[in-house]
């Protein structure tokens, strides 16, 4: 039979929501610098990822993605999910199992300057042609 406080609540119950979350953290995953393991398109998506990691004992922190640190955005805008280095591998495995981690091809893919230059050039040529036809 568990010990009971005078109010009828078990003594091993968390004192608050924050205390309950802190009790889920595995101390082995708390060492090292913070590293980015995932990103959410908005705050609620990032908090979902954070809650998923917490269920596996991995602590995490949210940060606005660089370039989107505008207070007027409120909950909008992308967020980075950061975890300590000791929990990074476990976090990536959890996110891969949940299909929330970016694949290596998505991470390696970046802007392609030649395609971008061609699109800008084609758009400029099309605009010049339309302007010439309208004036002509």
């Amino acid at each position: 039979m568990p010990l009971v406080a005078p109010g009828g609540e078990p003594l091993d119950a968390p004192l608050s929501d924050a205390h309950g979350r802190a009790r889920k953290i595995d101390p082995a995953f708390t060492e090292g610098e913070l590293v980015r393991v995932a990103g959410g398109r908005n705050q609620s998506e990032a908090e979902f990822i954070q809650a998923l990691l917490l269920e596996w004992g991995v602590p995490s922190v949210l940060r606005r993605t660089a370039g989107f640190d505008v207070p007027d955005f409120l909950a909008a805008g992308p967020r980075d999910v950061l975890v300590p280095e000791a929990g990074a591998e476990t976090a990536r495995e959890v996110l891969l199992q949940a299909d929330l981690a970016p694949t290596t091809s998505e991470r390696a893919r970046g802007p392609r300057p030649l395609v971008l230059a061609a699109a800008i050039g084609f758009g400029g040529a099309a605009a010049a042609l339309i302007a010439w036809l309208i004036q002509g």
Side-chain angles (χ1 to χ4, degrees):
M1 175 178 253
L3 296 173
V4 179
E9 192 173 316
L11 287 178
D12 62 347
L15 302 175
S16 65
D17 288 337
H19 183 240
R21 286 190 304 270
R23 290 174 61 174
K24 292 181 181 181
I25 294 174
D26 185 348
F29 296 142
T30 60
E31 300 295 321
E33 296 291 318
L34 293 175
V35 294
R36 183 183 184 276
V37 293
R41 288 175 283 191
N42 52 46
Q43 184 172 351
S44 49
E45 185 176 305
E47 286 175 351
F48 171 77
I49 294 169
Q50 196 175 29
L52 178 66
L53 293 175
L54 185 60
E55 289 300 317
W56 286 87
V58 180
S60 60
V61 190
L62 296 183
R63 168 182 76 184
R64 283 191 177 128
T65 302
F68 289 91
D69 193 15
V70 179
D72 294 342
F73 281 171
L74 300 177
R79 302 288 196 273
D80 293 331
V81 180
L82 307 166
V83 300
E85 285 177 342
E89 188 62 35
T90 303
R92 287 187 183 104
E93 289 175 13
V94 168
L95 294 171
L96 281 173
Q97 288 176 1
D99 283 336
L100 294 173
T103 61
T104 54
S105 63
E106 288 175 356
R107 273 188 265 161
R109 191 173 182 191
R112 297 176 14 200
L114 195 56
V115 173
L116 182 61
I120 291 171
F122 179 73
L129 179 65
I130 291 171
W132 180 72
L133 289 174
I134 291 174
Q135 291 224 328

